[in-house]
Amino acid sequence: MEPGSTFMDLEKKLDEAIPTRNMKEKEGLPESEEFDYTRKHAAYREIAKDETDSIVRFISNKLNKAIKSRLAQHSGEAVPFHVCSIGCGDGERDRDIIKKCDLSVPISYVGIEINAKSCSRAKANLGVLPSVEVTLLNKDFMQTDLDCQPKFDFVYMSHSHYYIEDVQAMFLKLLQLTEGDGKVVIITQTLTPPHRLENIIFEKEWGFALRHFQDLVQILDEMGVRYTTEPMTNGVWHMDRCFKENFTSEFAKDVLDFFSQSNLKQYSQEVTDLCIQYLKACCRKISETSYVCDFSNAAIIL
């Protein structure tokens, strides 16, 4: 869906009104619970849970297939299987992913998380997997030297590429982590109308643009890297559904807190009003056109 002139006019006004901030100089990243509007809105919680469950199912299925392939190559011998999760957060999702896997094979797991508090919680959440060797690195992935680690059989990252400015360098680093038939799975989102607002805010705060599915595959094409893609979530995008069914100004402000990852008090009333006006325009467009995207999350597999 291409925004019409109303969107374009609002985007221009927002670009002029939103102040530039140097978020790149802040240490680490804010924790999701600090700006997670899913905790405050029951309608969104259910949709967000469905999305999380679909990611867990998708990655665990891919991981299990890779483990079975390894077993077949080694005539059933349980050779250690090396897994790396980039941007593992508090480890809850990774715990659920690994629980669904064939744990008869010894798994060596490395989780990389830039936020210290999230990394600490990941240690507790992943500690319930006694058959898995867990290593957690509280580091920036792009600044982490993983040469001391064995090559990984399976690497995955879900939505954590957004904070990496040099995406081409990110892809090259990911490819260096695996060898042979090792797999890299990147979960990303497609660009939808509310995301355009997120892009404006993000670029003002971080100094570089968010990259969505369309951007990532274009960069891979330019690099000449072979990849495959798979859609994950069909139908109306989760936030679009929530906007259509439960839109309120309070919800819009919580969404803006999420997009800016901070408190709206940093913005003038003019900026806040423009953002809410933009989100309302998204809501009207969705309601008028019964907007349906092909998929909201997609996987890029290297």
Side-chain angles (χ1 to χ4, degrees):
M1 164 183 150
E2 288 293 326
S5 58
T6 301
F7 286 106
M8 297 300 292
D9 293 343
L10 283 170
E11 286 173 10
K12 184 177 179 181
K13 290 179 181 177
L14 280 164
D15 187 56
E16 293 171 352
I18 297 176
T20 300
R21 302 170 67 215
N22 195 356
M23 294 286 285
K24 282 188 287 186
E25 292 186 356
K26 295 184 80 175
E27 279 194 29
L29 297 173
E31 295 181 84
S32 60
E33 69 179 20
E34 295 175 9
F35 51 78
D36 190 351
Y37 52 95
T38 68
R39 296 174 187 269
K40 297 175 67 175
H41 298 275
Y44 187 84
R45 281 200 298 271
E46 182 179 349
I47 299 167
K49 183 180 184 302
D50 288 344
E51 182 187 39
T52 298
D53 290 346
S54 74
I55 293 172
V56 168
R57 285 194 303 271
F58 185 89
I59 295 179
S60 62
N61 285 339
K62 293 294 181 187
L63 184 51
N64 260 325
K65 286 180 181 178
I67 291 172
K68 288 178 181 177
S69 176
R70 167 60 63 84
L71 281 170
Q73 290 174 9
H74 293 271
S75 303
E77 182 183 354
V79 177
F81 194 87
H82 298 277
V83 177
C84 181
S85 171
I86 299 162
C88 65
D90 63 11
E92 283 190 10
R93 184 161 57 190
D94 285 2
R95 176 197 62 204
D96 294 342
I97 287 169
I98 294 173
K99 275 185 174 181
K100 291 179 177 291
C101 293
D102 181 357
L103 295 181
S104 65
V105 174
I107 293 178
S108 174
Y109 167 97
V110 174
I112 302 173
E113 173 54 46
I114 196 171
N115 186 284
K117 290 182 180 178
S118 294
C119 196
S120 177
R121 286 201 288 267
K123 183 177 181 181
N125 285 325
L126 292 162
V128 301
L129 302 168
S131 59
V132 179
E133 178 188 349
V134 175
T135 301
L136 289 167
L137 303 176
N138 178 208
K139 295 182 178 181
D140 179 341
F141 168 63
M142 294 303 292
Q143 304 300 322
T144 302
D145 182 5
L146 293 168
D147 289 343
C148 60
Q149 298 283 342
K151 292 291 185 180
F152 293 99
D153 302 296
F154 194 91
V155 177
Y156 61 95
M157 62 190 308
S158 175
H159 304 108
S160 51
H161 60 281
Y162 294 125
Y163 298 97
I164 297 175
E165 183 172 5
D166 190 341
V167 176
Q168 184 168 330
M170 176 195 78
F171 282 133
L172 292 173
K173 190 174 179 71
L174 287 169
L175 290 168
Q176 292 169 1
L177 296 181
T178 62
E179 62 182 0
D181 58 355
K183 296 291 183 186
V184 176
V185 178
I186 302 161
I187 307 297
T188 184
Q189 289 178 324
T190 56
L191 183 60
T192 65
H195 271 144
R196 292 178 66 86
L197 174 59
E198 183 181 15
N199 286 7
I200 294 169
I201 295 174
F202 187 95
E203 192 162 1
K204 281 284 188 173
E205 294 194 332
W206 291 86
F208 59 94
L210 280 169
R211 307 295 176 82
H212 296 281
F213 173 80
Q214 297 92 326
D215 306 304
L216 297 183
V217 296
Q218 181 179 342
I219 292 169
L220 286 169
D221 287 338
E222 292 170 354
M223 293 173 64
V225 175
R226 295 178 62 184
Y227 65 90
T228 59
T229 64
E230 293 186 33
M232 289 180 54
T233 312
N234 295 316
V236 183
W237 184 59
H238 59 271
M239 190 181 294
D240 292 345
R241 280 175 57 194
C242 206
F243 277 16
K244 185 174 180 179
E245 297 167 7
N246 303 280
F247 189 90
T248 63
S249 292
E250 179 191 359
F251 176 74
K253 288 179 180 179
D254 288 331
V255 171
L256 294 177
D257 268 347
F258 176 77
F259 282 171
S260 67
Q261 299 183 350
S262 51
N263 195 290
L264 278 177
K265 290 178 182 177
Q266 68 176 295
Y267 293 129
S268 66
Q269 189 61 46
E270 176 196 7
V271 171
T272 301
D273 290 344
L274 281 170
C275 289
I276 292 175
Q277 188 179 349
Y278 187 92
L279 292 175
K280 284 182 177 178
C282 290
C283 182
R284 285 196 301 272
K285 189 73 173 177
I286 293 161
S287 298
E288 291 168 1
T289 61
S290 298
Y291 170 70
V292 176
C293 60
D294 293 329
F295 48 84
S296 61
N297 280 315
I300 300 173
I301 304 170
L302 310 179

